[in-house]
Amino acid sequence: MAKLAILASGSGSNFEALTVALRGSCHEVCLLLCDRPGAMVLERAARLEVPARLISYKGRPKNEAESELAELLEENGADLIALAGFMRLLGPELVRRFRGRLVNIHPSLLPAWPGTHSIERAFAAGDNELGVTVHLVDEGMDTGPILAQARVPRQGDLAATEAAIHATEHLLYSDVIIKLLNNIAEKTC
Ligand code: GRF
């Protein structure tokens, strides 16, 4: 058994997909860390009975908030940390402390369209092939080594394209994370 912690700021659909997928494995989501009071992901965590903590970044230096975050990850025995819509660039100290154990999902075929509003920008540019990338986190914005990608064809409108991309994210992220956790636990469940 290996333990996954998830960092999220918003809706939390990837958080929910990972939590449900892990329930069919021998691994567990040990902790949700969220930086936004009132984020929907906190409601999902309560419903799914996943322990959750709010990390406040307001009115304090970023490295102080990140030290608290790192302590919680260690206290809760997180083997792997999945960023799932966590809307902050992690500081270099935090990245160094957990290097190789921090994973992110991004809704584009990186290195195309890093940063925010990737789907909208790719769609507006007329891309016929969009997609999803799972990668290790480094100090840059969506720049770490790529672990997996999935292509998603452009749909009739932006909303349908976004829906197709999010559905693909949920499958790809669960698959990659379970494989990584299996490697950590050195067994397949
Ligand atoms: C996803 O599109 C993810 O790729 C990006 O942020 C979004 C989070 O969505 N990093 P959700 O909160 O998991 O629904």
Side-chain angles (χ1 to χ4, degrees):
M1 193 268 276
K3 291 185 177 184
L4 178 72
I6 301 176
L7 272 56
S9 304
S11 151
S13 69
N14 281 282
F15 161 80
E16 180 154 355
L18 288 171
T19 301
V20 170
L22 260 61
R23 290 200 171 151
S25 80
C26 61
H27 309 300
E28 71 171 29
V29 179
C30 63
L31 183 65
L32 167 75
L33 294 175
C34 176
D35 63 328
R36 297 225 175 131
M40 199 201 287
V41 69
L42 291 167
E43 289 169 33
R44 293 188 199 253
R47 175 165 47 80
L48 293 164
E49 298 180 345
V50 173
R53 290 286 294 266
L54 192 62
I55 304 285
S56 175
Y57 278 71
K58 229 178 166 183
R60 67 200 290 213
K62 176 175 168 169
N63 61 2
E64 191 183 301
E66 288 195 340
S67 299
E68 183 189 342
L69 194 144
E71 294 303 318
L72 283 166
L73 293 173
E74 279 173 1
E75 273 167 27
N76 285 273
D79 297 299
L80 189 69
I81 301 132
L83 275 59
F86 190 66
M87 299 304 286
R88 292 177 188 275
L89 189 63
L90 301 185
E93 266 181 48
L94 191 63
V95 173
R96 213 174 302 125
R97 193 155 161 182
F98 295 98
R99 195 182 296 285
R101 294 197 284 146
L102 289 162
V103 186
N104 185 40
I105 185 153
H106 185 78
S108 79
L109 294 171
L110 290 172
W113 310 113
T116 58
H117 305 294
S118 305
I119 308 174
E120 290 96 317
R121 290 186 288 127
F123 191 88
D127 288 10
N128 282 318
E129 190 172 67
L130 296 88
V132 172
T133 302
V134 177
H135 67 96
L136 290 174
V137 174
D138 67 7
E139 289 80 356
M141 172 79 77
D142 306 319
T143 52
I146 291 173
L147 299 174
Q149 290 187 306
R151 297 174 190 282
V152 178
R154 181 189 186 88
Q155 307 290 306
D157 59 25
L158 176 60
T161 305
E162 285 176 331
I165 286 179
H166 293 311
T168 302
E169 285 188 321
H170 300 159
L171 296 175
L172 186 70
Y173 212 13
S174 298
D175 186 52
V176 172
I177 290 292
I178 287 176
K179 283 183 180 144
L180 292 171
L181 291 169
N182 284 344
N183 286 342
I184 290 167
E186 287 184 351
K187 70 180 228 199
T188 302
C189 315

